[in-house]
Amino acid sequence: MKIDLIPGGVTAAKGFKAACCAAGIKYKDRTDMAMLLSERPCAVAGTFTTNVVKAAPVLWDRRIVKEVKAAQAVVVNAGIANAATGQTGMEMCAKTADFAGKALGIPADYVLLGSTGVIGPNLPIDRITAGVAAMAGTLSDTPEAGTAASRAIMTTDTVNKECAVCFELPAADGAGTVKVTLGGMSKGSGMIHPNMCTMLGYVTTDCAVDPDVLQQALGEVVPDTFNMISVDGDTSTNDTLLVLANGLAGNAPVAAGSEGYALLREALFTVCRDLAIKMAGDGEGATRLVEMRVTGADTRENARRLARSVVSSSLVKAMIFGKDANCGRVLCALGYAGVEFDPAAVELWLLGEREDLCFYKDGCVQTFDEDLALAILSEKQIRFCCDMHMGGEEATAWGCDLTYDYVKINGDYRT
């Protein structure tokens, strides 16, 4: 059995519809609300920001994931984050969910919420409810509807992010296999840093799976996908990643530890990694995607720490932007990652499309071809590989360069 990439996003799986509208939350004449709806209630799983300051919709969704363990709809707005809004923010969540529930004919506790944008202002509830009413009447299961929804949740993103895959699982009736589909969308461009990044992510699947099993799979996937990207070192108040599974594929329910579980986990990993890399490459003001692969580490967590440290370094990011082959920046970031290692055992390589270049080994910076280094650093994707020679574990992290435009974008983000 294998995982196949297919066109589409959140409407690729059976029974899911999407819609969007221009509600005027912050800007005029641009789509800024999205809605997802499943034909029937779904098992739900989620992960959320590690920031102590959590936005109201994060608190709302976290309760549903932990206590209700079921959902049927998602309502998202862009422009205002509904964060640092106190009790008023929670009241806005309740009003939105209640209105959406009545409009869709489902319980309010089956409505998940997402917000992204400026921290502090209160949501204009009249525009929110008007947007919900408009979207409830235009829901569609077409690929175009899913793509439009992925664009509606963008803020400083320059491109929408979506991905879908399909695979086969044993049928519930025992007669052969059935096709299972999993698709997702995400947004995120700034305030992105490991241990959930500044993002909203939504994954839908027609797989039949218990919410606890789904939560287990998501918990195993996030550490090597969304938690391995960094744009600017800031962890948002609104990070939310939700997975909804409605079971309409007709597969035998996936059990933890089974072959079906391994396949579902791999499908979820594929979609989450794709969305995460797209977010890293679309960092605010970014011109190039940066990949740091660490091999030969003694533990997986140490490999992750080392890789994340490099892609999170402002000096490494500036080096990439300037196309300056200053490998000392990378070595420095490895050295303060909080992992003990022998510098003399480390090998650091810059990987090019046609030729690779060894930066460092045997404890010394190597003599290298500066013209070749410049050519590689001019490529669209910059890839480093570092062999720690400590063990057999590895990890990969993704980031982007740090440009003048990042400062421009964030210098007047609120106004």
Side-chain angles (χ1 to χ4, degrees), residues 251-297:
N251 63 285
V254 173
S258 66
E259 290 184 9
Y261 176 84
L263 200 54
L264 173 61
R265 182 190 178 283
E266 183 62 25
L268 186 58
F269 178 85
T270 300
V271 169
C272 288
R273 180 178 58 183
D274 181 90
L275 294 174
I277 293 173
K278 286 175 178 175
M279 288 167 58
D282 191 34
E284 289 174 339
T287 63
R288 290 195 293 293
L289 173 69
V290 180
E291 177 182 287
M292 179 65 194
R293 183 185 177 203
V294 171
T295 65

Side-chain angles (χ1 to χ4, degrees), residues 49-300:
T49 183
T50 56
N51 197 316
V52 173
V53 181
K54 292 176 172 58
V58 169
L59 299 175
W60 178 272
D61 291 349
R62 191 173 63 172
R63 177 185 64 82
I64 291 177
V65 169
K66 289 185 176 181
E67 299 177 10
V68 183
K69 295 188 177 184
Q72 198 167 348
V74 182
V75 176
V76 191
N77 76 273
I80 294 178
N82 194 13
T85 49
Q87 184 57 37
T88 299
M90 294 306 299
E91 291 172 1
M92 294 300 101
C93 287
K95 289 179 180 179
T96 302
D98 184 66
F99 189 91
K102 291 176 180 175
L104 299 171
I106 63 175
D109 272 357
Y110 278 14
V111 179
L112 296 158
L113 304 172
S115 296
T116 180
V118 178
I119 294 172
N122 289 317
L123 288 175
I125 192 62
D126 56 334
R127 297 178 205 169
I128 293 288
T129 54
V132 168
M135 292 186 294
T138 59
L139 287 159
S140 170
D141 61 2
T142 65
E144 292 78 12
T147 297
S150 72
R151 289 175 178 156
I153 63 175
M154 293 165 53
T155 49
T156 55
D157 307 60
T158 65
V159 294
N160 67 307
K161 292 98 178 166
E162 59 180 344
C163 179
V165 299
C166 67
F167 53 102
E168 291 187 353
L169 288 177
D173 61 8
T177 62
V178 293
K179 184 176 81 169
V180 176
T181 303
L182 188 148
M185 68 177 186
S186 68
K187 65 79 53 186
S189 190
M191 283 185 78
I192 290 182
H193 190 59
N195 292 323
M196 290 300 291
C197 44
T198 204
M199 59 162 286
L200 298 179
Y202 304 99
V203 178
T204 58
T205 180
D206 46 25
C207 183
V209 57
D210 181 84
D212 291 335
V213 176
L214 188 62
Q215 185 68 47
Q216 179 181 337
L218 183 62
E220 292 175 0
V221 161
V222 167
D224 289 306
T225 57
F226 288 113
N227 281 3
M228 293 300 288
I229 63 175
S230 182
V231 167
D232 50 18
D234 281 286
T235 300
S236 170
T237 57
N238 287 58
D239 302 336
T240 299
L241 174 61
L242 296 165
V243 185
L244 291 85
N246 63 18
L248 287 174
N251 63 285
V254 173
S258 66
E259 290 184 9
Y261 176 84
L263 200 54
L264 173 61
R265 182 190 178 283
E266 183 62 25
L268 186 58
F269 178 85
T270 300
V271 169
C272 288
R273 180 178 58 183
D274 181 90
L275 294 174
I277 293 173
K278 286 175 178 175
M279 288 167 58
D282 191 34
E284 289 174 339
T287 63
R288 290 195 293 293
L289 173 69
V290 180
E291 177 182 287
M292 179 65 194
R293 183 185 177 203
V294 171
T295 65
D298 55 344
T299 68
R300 175 68 65 85

